[in-house]
Amino acid sequence: MTLLIFLHFLLLGLRVIDCTTDTWRRCTDMLPLDLLSFVLERDTSKLVPGVNMKQAGGVRGVSFSSPHTSMSFPSSQLLVNCDLLPKQFSIVVTLKISSTAPKRNEYIFSLTEPKRGEKTGVGEEEEDNNKGDILERGVSGKEQHGNREEERRVKSNEEPGRVILGLRFSKNHLHFLLKSHRGVVDHWVFRGTRLDDNQWHTLLLVVGSHHVRLTMDCNSPLEIVPSGPFPPDLNIQGARFHIGSRGRWKGLYSGLLRQLVLVPGLDATHYICPSSAPQLAVLSVPPLLSDLSVIESEGDSHVTSYVTEERVSVGTERLCSKTRQGQMWFNPLSKGLYLCDGTVWITVLEDHKRLDYVSEHQVLPTSSETHDIEVFQLPGLGMMAAMAHRSASGSAVYLWKNAGFQLYQNISTYEALAWRHFSIGKKVYLVVSNSGGGPDKRKQTENDFSVIYKWSKRRKLFVRFQTLQTHCARDWEAFQINKQTYLAVANHRQGDTNHTIDSVIYIWNRLTKSFEVHQMLRTSGAYDWEFFTVGPYHFLVVANAFDGVTTSVDSVIYVWVNGSFQVFQTIKTFCATDWEMFQIGSRVFLVVANGHRLQGNGPSQYAINSTIYELDLIGQLFVRFQDIVTYSAVDWEFFSLGEEYFLVVANSFNGESYSLNSVLYRWQGYEGFVPVHWLPTIGCSDWEFFSSKGESYLIYSSAKAPLAKIFKLKTY
């Protein structure tokens, strides 16, 4: 049963809305909405006011001492981005009503619409009587499936237009209320259900477009077929759920409540019935109430022992352990569905996240200043980060463990500038850019090389694989075209003065199992390569920084034609240090990080524009889209959270200080990217975005301090 529910909801996904018109959106195809858990789990350290937890027959439930506001909430908090009640839905309730319960009508729950000039209602002991008519339809508990009774109009103390949806009971009747398209409340009565017998019962109410059906304790269902269909467009904008009441003292529920779940868009019968314990059949029970597994029959010393199946645990926080392995958890706040693997929660489905704020998560001391970070996933081990340390003593690889990076392996490097991770088949590699030979400058030419490391599954370490001659290499880019693997190196300069040199494209030779030179491309102080694909076309753009005289040089976009790269477009840049390609919908963008302006012996300008370009598909070239003022920018990082898109820039120097804010920008459509967060950094050299266990992070490296810092992105 658990697997069936899981597969069904997996196929449904987290699609929340169904656009029925240009204005209204219908709530449909959502995961089960545990109304009781939602109010009980707001603060797991204590029960909410007006609620008491009791045990009856070895089973926990809650009772209500008052219609407190904590047991009420706007429907929009769970029925997100939708305005209309679904045409079909199910309600699952597990309750226990004493035989001494009052004979008055008591509300198990209600969904009420806002009323003009209405007060909160809590604390009112009287409500107006005879306010309007309701249409009452009833069926006896003794009648069989499909039987109908005559409809008749009766007086009611319900306020017209006040209740949209409700479930209440009297001594031996269950009442289902639903607002009609005429503005009055249609009222269906299931007679002779005998709920007040001091026993636990699970009720399943299924509402379709042409029927309402009640199943109690997985027995034969009772069905009412109305004379006309239910209203297809019940507006729930501004509506509120009330648990255990209708928000007033009168009608407050006096029994115990263990389960209350609304399932929009489907018939939930087959997900709880049949059941080995039909009176306690479970779809979703609050964890606070589901701890007991031994059920003792009242008035009998006999103990019946069994474990209740909790198919979906609902709440804001859960601990995943071996005892919960295989259990699913639905977080109603994040709209996420997770599966416990015995240790951690694995994301199955997740609703769109929105960035709330950014907080400091970890300050990671490093052996020296760091020029670059490469975050990657290593199969079988986890998240890793390779850091290019300035020190000639070496660089390091870190492993993400216990929500933080920890040192995993030291690797000998020589003033490393960049790392790049890539895979060929199932083999995993790292390539590092070395820029010098330490303090002995005479050995710089000899030791100016880059090294490819290969992951050893046996040793669980990266080991030296191949050495390639480079010239103050600032960056490596790995990519595939037609299932062939390539590496591009950005050679910055040869010696101290020669910046206009060849950068190299290497190709993987499958016979020799090594990289060979494939193509040379002339560059000017190359700083970065960025590979990207648009449709069937492959592009490679270089960030040219300096030609020996000026930083005002052309950076070049190349396109792959007949087995090699050819010039596609040139763009004037100013000490370009990084290109970042990203897509928003069908739109393709390139953003450049401009470092500074320098002409001859003149002063440098560090506060300059970095520019976002957009691909004009008709004109077949990139055109200027937006300028953003940056301060010696050295990196851009693009990422998304749900349906929101972000850019973060690495500001490194403003002409006076290395301690300044790097800025996080959010996509605002027509307005482009606007600043939303300012993150304090010291000589920021690189940003990387990564996610782990449903959480999102940003990490930056410092070229001026021996540390890296991780920020956590708080979402809602």
Side-chain angles (χ1 to χ4, degrees):
M1 289 290 290
T2 301
L3 182 59
L4 290 175
I5 292 177
F6 168 74
L7 291 174
H8 183 80
F9 291 131
L10 180 62
L11 291 172
L12 286 179
L14 283 176
R15 181 162 56 91
V16 174
I17 60 173
D18 174 25
C19 296
T20 56
T21 69
D22 292 337
T23 304
W24 306 114
R25 296 163 297 180
R26 186 178 305 282
C27 306
T28 185
D29 290 352
M30 300 177 69
L31 291 171
L33 304 177
D34 190 332
L35 305 182
L36 187 57
S37 283
F38 188 72
V39 292
L40 294 181
E41 295 289 316
R42 292 181 180 181
D43 184 354
T44 57
S45 64
K46 60 182 180 180
L47 280 173
V48 295
V51 175
N52 300 299
M53 185 170 67
K54 296 182 179 180
Q55 181 176 324
V59 180
R60 290 178 180 176
V62 291
S63 64
F64 306 96
S65 58
S66 69
H68 197 274
T69 53
S70 60
M71 299 306 291
S72 171
F73 59 91
S75 62
S76 58
Q77 292 185 5
L78 278 182
L79 298 169
V80 183
N81 293 330
C82 53
D83 313 297
L84 304 178
L85 203 64
K87 295 179 181 179
Q88 183 183 38
F89 57 89
S90 302
I91 301 168
V92 181
V93 183
T94 300
L95 46 68
K96 179 179 179 293
I97 300 171
S98 169
S99 56
T100 59
K103 296 182 179 180
R104 68 191 183 196
N105 289 322
E106 297 182 358
Y107 279 86
I108 299 166
F109 87 99
S110 61
L111 176 65
T112 61
E113 64 182 7
K115 182 181 177 185
R116 291 183 181 178
E118 183 188 35
K119 298 179 182 179
T120 61
V122 176
E124 297 181 21
E125 297 193 11
E126 298 294 336
E127 57 185 345
D128 295 335
N129 293 324
N130 303 321
K131 287 289 186 178
D133 290 343
I134 62 171
L135 188 63
E136 183 184 79
R137 303 173 175 89
V139 63
S140 169
K142 298 179 181 179
E143 297 180 45
Q144 297 301 313
H145 174 84
N147 285 1
R148 296 176 51 198
E149 275 200 356
E150 182 182 355
E151 300 173 356
R152 63 186 186 276
R153 187 172 297 278
V154 299
K155 289 289 183 180
S156 168
N157 61 3
E158 299 293 340
E159 297 181 50
R162 187 73 181 91
V163 173
I164 299 175
L165 172 67
L167 194 63
R168 73 185 190 196
F169 79 94
S170 55
K171 188 170 181 63
N172 60 354
H173 297 340
L174 183 70
H175 306 252
F176 172 63
L177 297 88
L178 186 67
K179 181 182 174 183
S180 74
H181 62 276
R182 300 182 304 277
V184 299
V185 180
D186 284 350
H187 179 188
W188 288 267
V189 181
F190 292 91
R191 296 183 177 86
T193 48
R194 296 296 303 173
L195 297 174
D196 56 342
D197 59 358
N198 215 29
Q199 299 293 320
W200 286 100
H201 295 287
T202 294
L203 311 177
L204 171 62
L205 196 73
V206 179
V207 181
S209 57
H210 297 281
H211 72 273
V212 54
R213 186 173 68 244
L214 173 68
T215 301
M216 188 168 81
D217 301 334
C218 293
N219 291 316
S220 298
L222 307 173
E223 185 174 76
I224 297 175
V225 179
S227 57
F230 288 114
D233 53 358
L234 275 181
N235 193 333
I236 59 172
Q237 279 191 317
R240 292 187 68 87
F241 279 107
H242 300 277
I243 311 303
S245 74
R246 58 169 304 190
R248 301 172 182 239
W249 279 97
K250 189 171 183 178
L252 179 67
Y253 177 62
S254 62
L256 294 180
L257 189 61
R258 176 175 171 82
Q259 176 175 221
L260 178 59
V261 185
L262 174 65
V263 187
L266 57 86
D267 181 344
T269 303
H270 299 296
Y271 302 119
I272 67 169
C273 295
S275 171
S276 58
Q279 290 181 273
L280 293 166
V282 175
L283 181 61
S284 180
V285 170
L288 187 68
L289 307 178
S290 61
D291 292 342
L292 299 185
S293 59
V294 177
I295 313 301
E296 181 181 348
S297 301
E298 290 189 30
D300 189 353
S301 59
H302 174 71
V303 176
T304 303
S305 178
Y306 63 89
V307 178
T308 59
E309 279 189 82
E310 187 180 342
R311 290 160 172 79
V312 183
S313 173
V314 179
T316 54
E317 270 194 55
R318 288 292 178 274
L319 176 65
C320 176
S321 61
K322 289 184 178 180
T323 58
R324 288 189 172 178
Q325 186 170 0
Q327 180 180 318
M328 287 188 294
W329 162 43
F330 176 64
N331 188 330
L333 298 181
S334 66
K335 298 295 185 294
L337 182 66
Y338 308 93
L339 179 68
C340 177
D341 70 352
T343 305
V344 297
W345 292 104
I346 300 172
T347 302
V348 177
L349 296 169
E350 202 163 48
D351 195 15
H352 301 310
K353 294 181 177 180
R354 300 189 68 184
L355 180 62
D356 190 5
Y357 63 93
V358 180
S359 64
E360 185 177 292
H361 179 74
Q362 181 187 10
V363 177
L364 181 64
T366 56
S367 61
S368 74
E369 300 87 341
T370 305
H371 289 287
D372 179 71
I373 300 176
E374 175 79 348
V375 177
F376 59 97
Q377 191 78 29
L378 189 64
L381 195 59
M383 188 81 65
M384 305 194 85
M387 299 194 186
H389 294 328
R390 180 181 179 182
S391 171
S393 62
S395 295
V397 177
Y398 296 80
L399 176 66
W400 183 262
K401 190 175 181 180
N402 299 326
F405 278 117
Q406 300 177 14
L407 180 62
Y408 182 82
Q409 180 184 358
N410 287 309
I411 298 178
S412 296
T413 57
Y414 301 91
E415 298 179 23
L417 295 176
W419 283 101
R420 183 65 65 190
H421 154 266
F422 63 96
S423 299
I424 302 176
K426 295 183 179 180
K427 308 296 184 182
V428 179
Y429 300 86
L430 276 176
V431 57
V432 66
S433 301
N434 287 316
S435 65
D440 190 348
K441 297 298 181 182
R442 292 174 300 176
K443 295 183 179 180
Q444 182 166 339
T445 300
E446 176 186 346
N447 290 329
D448 198 9
F449 55 84
S450 293
V451 180
I452 302 172
Y453 296 87
K454 180 181 178 181
W455 175 253
S456 169
K457 293 183 179 179
R458 181 179 61 85
R459 299 175 60 184
K460 295 192 181 302
L461 294 171
F462 284 98
V463 296
R464 184 184 289 258
F465 176 74
Q466 184 180 358
T467 301
L468 298 170
Q469 182 72 42
T470 54
H471 304 286
C472 192
R474 301 291 315 199
D475 182 56
W476 283 96
E477 181 78 337
F479 54 92
Q480 286 193 338
I481 299 176
N482 299 326
K483 298 182 179 180
Q484 180 64 61
T485 302
Y486 297 87
L487 283 177
V489 63
N491 284 325
H492 185 65
R493 70 173 188 273
Q494 192 167 2
D496 291 330
T497 58
N498 187 10
H499 291 79
T500 303
I501 58 176
D502 286 331
S503 289
V504 183
I505 311 295
Y506 295 90
I507 186 172
W508 174 254
N509 187 318
R510 296 171 182 171
L511 296 177
T512 63
K513 304 294 183 184
S514 63
F515 283 95
E516 301 174 349
V517 174
H518 176 72
Q519 184 181 2
M520 306 281 229
L521 294 172
R522 204 71 170 170
T523 55
S524 298
Y527 225 93
D528 178 68
W529 284 109
E530 176 82 349
F531 174 82
F532 60 97
T533 298
V534 180
Y537 302 102
H538 307 288
F539 296 91
L540 190 64
V541 56
V542 64
N544 283 326
F546 187 59
D547 64 1
V549 178
T550 178
T551 59
S552 177
V553 294
D554 286 337
S555 289
V556 184
I557 304 172
Y558 298 90
V559 63
W560 182 264
V561 179
N562 296 327
S564 64
F565 286 103
Q566 299 182 17
V567 174
F568 173 77
Q569 182 182 353
T570 60
I571 296 177
K572 183 67 68 177
T573 54
F574 304 93
C575 189
T577 55
D578 181 59
W579 283 101
E580 180 86 349
M581 176 270 184
F582 58 93
Q583 288 187 256
I584 298 177
S586 60
R587 302 171 69 177
V588 178
F589 297 90
L590 272 177
V591 58
V592 64
N594 284 322
H596 64 277
R597 288 177 184 264
L598 174 64
Q599 184 70 41
N601 295 322
S604 292
Q605 293 178 291
Y606 297 99
I608 60 174
N609 284 332
S610 291
T611 304
I612 302 172
Y613 299 88
E614 182 176 7
L615 179 60
D616 182 347
L617 295 174
I618 298 176
Q620 296 185 0
L621 77 164
F622 284 89
V623 297
R624 185 185 301 269
F625 173 78
Q626 182 182 0
D627 289 323
I628 298 176
V629 176
T630 54
Y631 299 89
S632 192
V634 292
D635 182 58
W636 284 101
E637 179 78 355
F638 174 82
F639 63 94
S640 62
L641 291 173
E643 292 185 334
E644 291 190 321
Y645 305 96
F646 299 89
L647 277 173
V648 60
V649 65
N651 286 324
S652 65
F653 185 60
N654 63 5
E656 296 180 355
S657 174
Y658 295 100
S659 297
L660 66 162
N661 289 325
S662 291
V663 184
L664 181 62
Y665 300 85
R666 181 170 57 204
W667 172 254
Q668 292 286 91
Y670 182 78
E671 301 173 65
F673 284 91
V674 299
V676 290
H677 294 283
W678 287 259
L679 306 175
T681 54
I682 304 172
C684 185
S685 58
D686 188 30
W687 281 104
E688 290 289 321
F689 170 83
F690 65 96
S691 298
S692 176
K693 299 179 182 178
E695 302 289 351
S696 299
Y697 304 87
L698 282 171
I699 181 173
Y700 93 87
S701 57
S702 172
K704 293 298 175 180
L707 62 85
K709 188 173 289 188
I710 300 170
F711 295 93
K712 189 173 185 178
L713 305 178
K714 297 289 187 177
T715 59
Y716 66 97

